[in-house]
Amino acid sequence: MVETNWKDALKSEQTFNDFITGYFKDHKELTGDYETSSYYEYYTVRLDSKEGLIITLTTGVSPAVNAGAATIPFKDVEKLSVEQFRQLILNKKFADMHTSLADVFKTVAGVPGVTE
């Protein structure tokens, strides 16, 4: 039986791996964003069978702040194994039991303003 609660799945490397594999089998990718009047960040997370979790972050300065000068967004790609991701979560010690998996990805990715 595959664990359906990501917090319970954290207890075991194999259970968490099965949970993440199942999650991305059902959802294909996880997307999210963070925006202020001066800054934006978009991210996608997907699971690759060879490279593990691939987190793509696109950040930039909002056009209104730059007034006339076009900015080029910065794109960063991070790759980590499911176990590396599990260890990051365990070391962050997410205290809020109502935190969603999307919130965990945001926090691990370093999105500002995410409550831990």
Side-chain angles (χ1 to χ4, degrees):
M1 181 174 119
V2 175
E3 181 60 57
T4 58
N5 182 315
W6 71 267
K7 292 176 187 114
D8 291 336
L10 282 171
K11 297 173 186 171
S12 156
E13 180 178 349
Q14 185 59 50
T15 303
F16 190 70
N17 188 64
D18 292 345
F19 173 82
I20 291 293
T21 302
Y23 180 88
F24 282 102
K25 182 178 179 184
D26 293 342
H27 297 92
K28 304 300 178 218
E29 74 177 13
L30 176 69
T31 61
D33 60 74
Y34 172 80
E35 290 187 55
T36 67
S37 59
S38 60
Y39 172 85
Y40 65 87
E41 180 169 281
Y42 305 106
Y43 68 90
T44 61
V45 182
R46 63 184 178 82
L47 182 63
D48 182 276
S49 62
K50 293 181 177 95
E51 300 187 72
L53 292 168
I54 300 173
I55 303 170
T56 305
L57 301 168
T58 303
T59 58
V61 176
S62 296
V65 172
N66 228 3
T71 61
I72 299 174
F74 174 75
K75 185 175 181 180
D76 185 30
V77 177
E78 297 288 332
K79 298 174 186 174
L80 32 126
S81 71
V82 173
E83 178 57 13
Q84 287 171 320
F85 181 60
R86 184 176 86 91
Q87 290 301 317
L88 281 171
I89 294 172
L90 290 172
N91 291 326
K92 283 269 190 188
K93 303 203 184 336
F94 293 92
D96 183 1
M97 293 309 293
H98 301 290
T99 303
S100 70
L101 186 61
D103 291 336
V104 172
F105 277 115
K106 287 181 193 177
T107 303
V108 170
V111 176
V114 175
T115 304
E116 292 184 10

mmCIF file of all heavy atoms in Angstrom, residues 46-54 79-81:
data_model
loop_
_atom_site.group_PDB
_atom_site.id
_atom_site.type_symbol
_atom_site.label_atom_id
_atom_site.label_comp_id
_atom_site.label_asym_id
_atom_site.label_seq_id
_atom_site.Cartn_x
_atom_site.Cartn_y
_atom_site.Cartn_z
ATOM 1 N N ARG A 46 9.429 18.442 -11.451
ATOM 2 C CA ARG A 46 9.004 17.210 -12.111
ATOM 3 C C ARG A 46 9.961 16.100 -11.709
ATOM 4 O O ARG A 46 11.053 16.360 -11.214
ATOM 5 C CB ARG A 46 8.919 17.367 -13.621
ATOM 6 C CG ARG A 46 10.205 17.674 -14.305
ATOM 7 C CD ARG A 46 9.995 17.903 -15.815
ATOM 8 N NE ARG A 46 11.235 18.233 -16.453
ATOM 9 C CZ ARG A 46 12.162 17.362 -16.856
ATOM 10 N NH1 ARG A 46 11.944 16.070 -16.698
ATOM 11 N NH2 ARG A 46 13.273 17.754 -17.416
ATOM 12 N N LEU A 47 9.539 14.881 -11.922
ATOM 13 C CA LEU A 47 10.343 13.719 -11.568
ATOM 14 C C LEU A 47 10.837 13.060 -12.839
ATOM 15 O O LEU A 47 10.056 12.751 -13.731
ATOM 16 C CB LEU A 47 9.513 12.728 -10.744
ATOM 17 C CG LEU A 47 10.227 11.473 -10.262
ATOM 18 C CD1 LEU A 47 11.369 11.840 -9.305
ATOM 19 C CD2 LEU A 47 9.255 10.533 -9.588
ATOM 20 N N ASP A 48 12.141 12.896 -12.920
ATOM 21 C CA ASP A 48 12.781 12.222 -14.043
ATOM 22 C C ASP A 48 13.317 10.893 -13.538
ATOM 23 O O ASP A 48 13.954 10.846 -12.486
ATOM 24 C CB ASP A 48 13.915 13.096 -14.586
ATOM 25 C CG ASP A 48 14.594 12.476 -15.785
ATOM 26 O OD1 ASP A 48 15.496 11.640 -15.561
ATOM 27 O OD2 ASP A 48 14.243 12.823 -16.918
ATOM 28 N N SER A 49 13.086 9.821 -14.272
ATOM 29 C CA SER A 49 13.491 8.496 -13.799
ATOM 30 C C SER A 49 15.000 8.357 -13.653
ATOM 31 O O SER A 49 15.474 7.558 -12.857
ATOM 32 C CB SER A 49 12.956 7.410 -14.736
ATOM 33 O OG SER A 49 13.492 7.576 -16.033
ATOM 34 N N LYS A 50 15.772 9.135 -14.375
ATOM 35 C CA LYS A 50 17.231 9.041 -14.286
ATOM 36 C C LYS A 50 17.851 10.106 -13.376
ATOM 37 O O LYS A 50 18.833 9.857 -12.703
ATOM 38 C CB LYS A 50 17.844 9.159 -15.679
ATOM 39 C CG LYS A 50 17.501 7.989 -16.580
ATOM 40 C CD LYS A 50 18.140 8.140 -17.934
ATOM 41 C CE LYS A 50 17.856 6.945 -18.798
ATOM 42 N NZ LYS A 50 16.735 7.077 -19.675
ATOM 43 N N GLU A 51 17.277 11.297 -13.383
ATOM 44 C CA GLU A 51 17.900 12.415 -12.662
ATOM 45 C C GLU A 51 17.214 12.788 -11.358
ATOM 46 O O GLU A 51 17.676 13.676 -10.656
ATOM 47 C CB GLU A 51 17.960 13.639 -13.585
ATOM 48 C CG GLU A 51 18.770 13.371 -14.835
ATOM 49 C CD GLU A 51 18.969 14.604 -15.663
ATOM 50 O OE1 GLU A 51 19.753 15.466 -15.232
ATOM 51 O OE2 GLU A 51 18.339 14.706 -16.728
ATOM 52 N N GLY A 52 16.121 12.160 -11.032
ATOM 53 C CA GLY A 52 15.416 12.474 -9.797
ATOM 54 C C GLY A 52 14.514 13.685 -9.961
ATOM 55 O O GLY A 52 13.943 13.911 -11.021
ATOM 56 N N LEU A 53 14.396 14.469 -8.909
ATOM 57 C CA LEU A 53 13.558 15.666 -8.935
ATOM 58 C C LEU A 53 14.304 16.779 -9.658
ATOM 59 O O LEU A 53 15.462 17.065 -9.362
ATOM 60 C CB LEU A 53 13.214 16.110 -7.516
ATOM 61 C CG LEU A 53 12.296 15.163 -6.758
ATOM 62 C CD1 LEU A 53 12.265 15.529 -5.287
ATOM 63 C CD2 LEU A 53 10.899 15.195 -7.346
ATOM 64 N N ILE A 54 13.612 17.403 -10.584
ATOM 65 C CA ILE A 54 14.198 18.526 -11.323
ATOM 66 C C ILE A 54 13.352 19.751 -11.009
ATOM 67 O O ILE A 54 12.161 19.806 -11.334
ATOM 68 C CB ILE A 54 14.225 18.248 -12.828
ATOM 69 C CG1 ILE A 54 15.071 17.000 -13.098
ATOM 70 C CG2 ILE A 54 14.771 19.459 -13.579
ATOM 71 C CD1 ILE A 54 15.055 16.517 -14.515
ATOM 72 N N LYS A 79 18.826 19.757 -9.546
ATOM 73 C CA LYS A 79 18.479 18.338 -9.600
ATOM 74 C C LYS A 79 18.872 17.700 -8.279
ATOM 75 O O LYS A 79 19.969 17.912 -7.783
ATOM 76 C CB LYS A 79 19.224 17.643 -10.742
ATOM 77 C CG LYS A 79 18.874 18.199 -12.099
ATOM 78 C CD LYS A 79 19.725 17.592 -13.183
ATOM 79 C CE LYS A 79 19.439 18.273 -14.501
ATOM 80 N NZ LYS A 79 20.334 17.824 -15.561
ATOM 81 N N LEU A 80 17.937 16.940 -7.704
ATOM 82 C CA LEU A 80 18.259 16.198 -6.496
ATOM 83 C C LEU A 80 17.489 14.905 -6.461
ATOM 84 O O LEU A 80 16.420 14.784 -7.040
ATOM 85 C CB LEU A 80 17.998 16.998 -5.212
ATOM 86 C CG LEU A 80 16.926 18.000 -5.101
ATOM 87 C CD1 LEU A 80 16.008 17.740 -3.937
ATOM 88 C CD2 LEU A 80 17.668 19.269 -4.753
ATOM 89 N N SER A 81 18.079 13.956 -5.790
ATOM 90 C CA SER A 81 17.408 12.663 -5.658
ATOM 91 C C SER A 81 16.231 12.811 -4.702
ATOM 92 O O SER A 81 16.150 13.769 -3.922
ATOM 93 C CB SER A 81 18.388 11.611 -5.130
ATOM 94 O OG SER A 81 18.684 11.867 -3.766
#
